[in-house]
Structure formats: C-alpha cells, structure tokens
Amino acid sequence: FAIGKVWRPTMHASPLLSQPTKALRVLLVENDAMIVMALSDVLAEMGYDVCATEATEAGAVAAAVRCKPDVMIVDAILDDGSGIVAVEQILCSGFIPHVFISGDISRVQACRPGAVALQKPFREPDLVRALQHALGVRPSVRPRQLPIARTLAKAHRQTPTE
C-alpha cells in the first residue's frame, strides 16, 4: 500500500457540533497477518480507529457485537469459515456498511450482487473509493439476501390464517 493523505473521515466538523467528529470504528476481518498489519497501518493513517481484527467467521460475528463498528472490511474467504456468511449473520442485527476484499471477487459478486468488493491486491486509492462508496450508500437489507430472514418469511407464508 502506498500511504497518502487522500481522505480523512475525522477531519471534518459535524454540522451540528463545533468539534470534529470521532474517528470511524473499523472491524477488519482478514486471515493473513501481513495484510492485517498493512491495512491496520493504512487505516490508522487515514484517520480510522481499527476497533478489532479477526481471522475467523465466528470471531468476526463476536467482534461486531462487542465493538459495534461503523464499517467493516472483510476478506470473503477465511481459513475458518466465510467472510460472506459472517457479514450475513452480522447484518441480521442491523446494517453496517462493509467492503469485501478477496483474491477472487467473482465469488462475492455471485453471493452478494451489488456488494462493494475490492480485488486483491489493491492500492490505497482503491480502498478509499470503496470505503466512501460503502459509507455513502446505505442500501436497505432485503430479506431475500439473508438466509435467516428468508427462512422466517417462508415460515410466515406457510402459517395458516384464522
């Protein structure tokens, strides 16, 4: 990554307050320790607060509950589980903007069409644009995108009416 001062989410003042806003909290889910270190440094330089790093699907879900991130950067393919499944589980509790990173983004696009996804390797400006896109667009989470919501909707349709 080439570190540069491209976009700093904390350097603007809130229109309602005279003080700068807090740094956005990032949950970083990645199983490659070198990528975690590099991304953590880049994100800190960009003004983000990396609230947690996790390498597994279960760890990601637990960390999202624990640290309540403002945005997530998630590797789609983990050694232990799936980043895509982790995000689906996390989104069941409410929307959190997210960016998928992967060596093969076709898998992300097949599972979550329209998701913000970056192909590895990527450069810092690419990460900046992806984060801006994820944070600027808050799509509604459609029940058909989440397996548990789909199951609940199907069960509701099968319930006889009185």
Side-chain angles (χ1 to χ4, degrees):
F1 298 101
I3 296 178
K5 298 179 192 274
V6 181
W7 179 61
R8 300 201 181 283
T10 60
M11 299 312 264
H12 64 282
S14 166
L16 301 175
L17 304 172
S18 59
Q19 300 173 5
T21 58
K22 288 185 351 181
L24 294 178
R25 298 168 53 81
V26 179
L27 169 57
L28 179 55
V29 182
E30 169 63 61
N31 58 332
D32 184 317
M34 296 300 289
I35 293 175
V36 169
M37 289 182 352
L39 267 177
S40 294
D41 289 346
V42 168
L43 290 165
E45 179 66 25
M46 290 169 56
Y48 289 95
D49 172 25
V50 178
C51 61
T53 61
E54 292 294 336
T56 67
E57 178 182 319
V61 174
V65 171
R66 185 178 66 253
C67 79
K68 299 181 181 9
D70 298 306
V71 64
M72 301 181 292
I73 299 174
V74 182
D75 187 356
I77 303 166
L78 303 171
D79 289 338
D80 186 13
S82 163
I84 297 168
V85 172
V87 168
E88 286 182 346
Q89 291 175 13
I90 292 164
L91 294 182
C92 287
S93 298
F95 185 78
I96 299 173
H98 52 280
V99 174
F100 287 105
I101 58 176
S102 180
D104 178 16
I105 62 170
S106 64
R107 183 179 293 184
V108 175
Q109 293 165 337
C111 294
R112 297 197 53 85
V116 179
L118 279 177
Q119 177 78 37
K120 291 180 189 174
F122 53 85
R123 297 181 342 234
E124 184 182 350
D126 301 325
L127 177 62
V128 169
R129 280 190 295 277
L131 285 167
Q132 287 174 327
H133 183 69
L135 291 165
V137 178
R138 186 174 179 193
S140 61
V141 179
R142 296 181 212 160
R144 64 183 166 84
Q145 292 176 319
L146 302 174
I148 194 164
R150 182 173 46 234
T151 302
L152 292 173
K154 184 177 178 183
H156 178 72
R157 284 192 303 271
Q158 292 176 351
T159 304
T161 56
E162 297 181 300

